[in-house]
Amino acid sequence: MNWVHPASRAKDAAEDGHAGRYVPLYEAKMGYFYDHRHAGYGARKGERGHRVLPQTGLREHRNPAFEITPHYWVPQAEVVRKVGNIADTPVFFGFRNIMSPTNGRTFICNLLPPWGVGNSMTLLSPRMGWADPRAACLVANLSSLPFDFICRQKAGGVNLNFFIVRQLPVLPPDFYGTDDVAFIASRVLELTYTTETMALFARGMGYGGAPFAWDVARRALLRAELDAWYARAYGLDRRQLEYILDPHDVMGTDYPSQTFRVLRKHEMATYGEYRTRRLVLAAYDRLECKN
C-alpha cells in the first residue's frame, strides 16, 4: 500500500517534492445527499476508529474553503490514470454500497470532487457527460424520496449490489423537457456548489459565480421541491405521497408499517416536527397549482 498515505502523513506527502500532488481517498460514509463534506476524520487525529465518523458542523459547512480530512491520501496521478483528463471528468457521482437500518435513507448518493474513491462507493457516470445539464437530473432522481421508497421495496440485506440498482426505475434523459432541466439543474447546482473544490462542476454547468451559501432552511426547501417534482414525475397523487412520507397519515396510527422511520425520528428530535413531510407536501401543492 505504498501509494496511500495515512492522514498523519498528509503534511509530509504534500511537502515531498517527489511525491507530486495528493488528493483524499474518499469513503462512502463521508458523503450524504448534495454534501461531499458530510463527515470526516478531522476530529479523530489520524485514528481510524469506528465506522461512524464525526459529522461536519454548521460553522465548517458555512466555510466554502473547508474540506473534510480523510484517513488516506492518494497520488492525483493515480486518479488521472484511471479517468483521464480531470477537465473532462470535473466531478464524481456515487452511491453507498452498504445499507443500514440506522440510516434515514436507503439509497444514499452524492457528488464529490474528482478524488480517489474507495470500494465502499460505486461511481456512476452519465453518458452525455457532466457538461450537459441533464446530468443533474440523474443526481436529483437518485437523491429523491420517491426513488428511495422504490429502492426499499427492491433491496434486501445490507449490500446494495449494482445488479439491484440496474433494475430500479430511473427516469431516462429524454423524459425531461427544457423547463424541467432548468428547474432541476439550478437546484442541484445550488445544493452542490458550496465549496471551491466543486468549481469545475459549476463551470461545466455554465455557472461562473462564487460557491452558494450553506443555508440550512433554504437547502431543505430546495430538496423538498425536488422531492415533490419527482413525486409528480412518478405519477403519485397527494395521498400516495402522504403514504410514502408517513403511512400513519393515511392508514391510521395503528397501522403496523413505517417508511422513513429513522428520518422522521431524527427530525422530530431536531426540529420538533417531521419537517420533510411538511415541506414536501407544501412543494407538491405549489407544483399542482402551477399545472
Side-chain angles (χ1 to χ4, degrees), residues 4 11 17 24 31 33 36 39 49 64 86 92 116 118 156 165-166 176 181 236 242 263 277 281 285 290:
V4 298
K11 185 174 184 293
F33 300 103
H36 73 276
I86 294 298
F92 287 163
V165 177
R166 287 177 63 91
Y176 302 92
V181 174
L236 301 177
E242 288 176 348
L263 175 64
R277 176 191 176 279
L281 289 176
D285 291 340
K290 290 182 179 180

Side-chain angles (χ1 to χ4, degrees), residues 186-208:
S186 62
R187 285 159 176 78
V188 171
L189 175 65
E190 183 172 346
L191 286 165
T192 302
Y193 182 36
T194 58
T195 172
E196 292 291 353
T197 54
M198 296 297 289
L200 285 178
F201 169 68
R203 303 298 179 262
M205 294 282 288
Y207 179 77

Side-chain angles (χ1 to χ4, degrees), residues 27-259:
E27 301 174 40
K29 58 190 174 185
M30 294 176 174
Y32 204 66
F33 300 103
Y34 305 107
D35 180 17
H36 73 276
R37 305 180 296 168
H38 174 67
Y41 286 93
R44 290 278 174 82
K45 298 181 179 180
E47 296 182 6
R48 184 137 181 93
H50 304 291
R51 66 181 182 87
V52 179
L53 293 178
Q55 293 187 14
T56 301
L58 180 59
R59 183 174 65 177
E60 288 78 15
H61 265 133
R62 286 176 171 172
N63 179 5
F66 172 81
E67 289 296 341
I68 55 174
T69 301
H71 189 69
Y72 293 108
W73 298 74
V74 298
Q76 188 179 46
E78 287 294 320
V79 179
V80 173
R81 187 174 67 85
K82 292 288 186 180
V83 303
N85 190 351
I86 294 298
D88 297 330
T89 311
V91 69
F92 287 163
F93 176 52
F95 64 89
R96 295 186 188 183
N97 297 336
I98 303 298
M99 301 174 289
S100 171
T102 61
N103 290 334
R105 300 281 291 272
T106 299
F107 191 96
I108 299 176
C109 57
N110 65 279
L111 290 162
L112 65 143
W115 295 337
V117 178
N119 67 347
S120 59
M121 174 177 259
T122 297
L123 296 181
L124 304 173
S125 181
R127 292 179 179 177
M128 73 283 297
W130 289 107
D132 190 321
R134 289 179 301 170
C137 298
L138 174 65
V139 177
N141 192 166
L142 271 58
S143 302
S144 69
L145 277 167
F147 180 82
D148 200 75
F149 177 79
I150 297 169
C151 181
R152 290 182 176 215
Q153 316 312 309
K154 191 70 175 178
V158 297
N159 295 305
L160 186 55
N161 294 305
F162 193 64
F163 74 85
I164 296 175
V165 177
R166 287 177 63 91
Q167 300 177 57
L168 298 176
V170 180
L171 301 177
D174 58 7
F175 178 86
Y176 302 92
T178 302
D179 291 342
D180 300 327
V181 174
F183 178 91
I184 294 167
S186 62
R187 285 159 176 78
V188 171
L189 175 65
E190 183 172 346
L191 286 165
T192 302
Y193 182 36
T194 58
T195 172
E196 292 291 353
T197 54
M198 296 297 289
L200 285 178
F201 169 68
R203 303 298 179 262
M205 294 282 288
Y207 179 77
F212 291 92
W214 185 278
D215 184 320
V216 174
R218 177 159 176 79
R219 290 177 62 82
L221 176 62
L222 294 175
R223 288 184 58 181
E225 290 175 342
L226 291 171
D227 287 333
W229 192 96
Y230 278 97
R232 298 181 75 250
Y234 278 109
L236 301 177
D237 61 31
R238 196 181 197 279
R239 186 173 177 82
Q240 291 170 328
L241 179 57
E242 288 176 348
Y243 176 87
I244 287 177
L245 290 166
D246 190 350
H248 291 172
D249 289 343
V250 177
M251 309 301 292
T253 56
D254 59 343
Y255 189 67
S257 178
Q258 298 185 66
T259 49

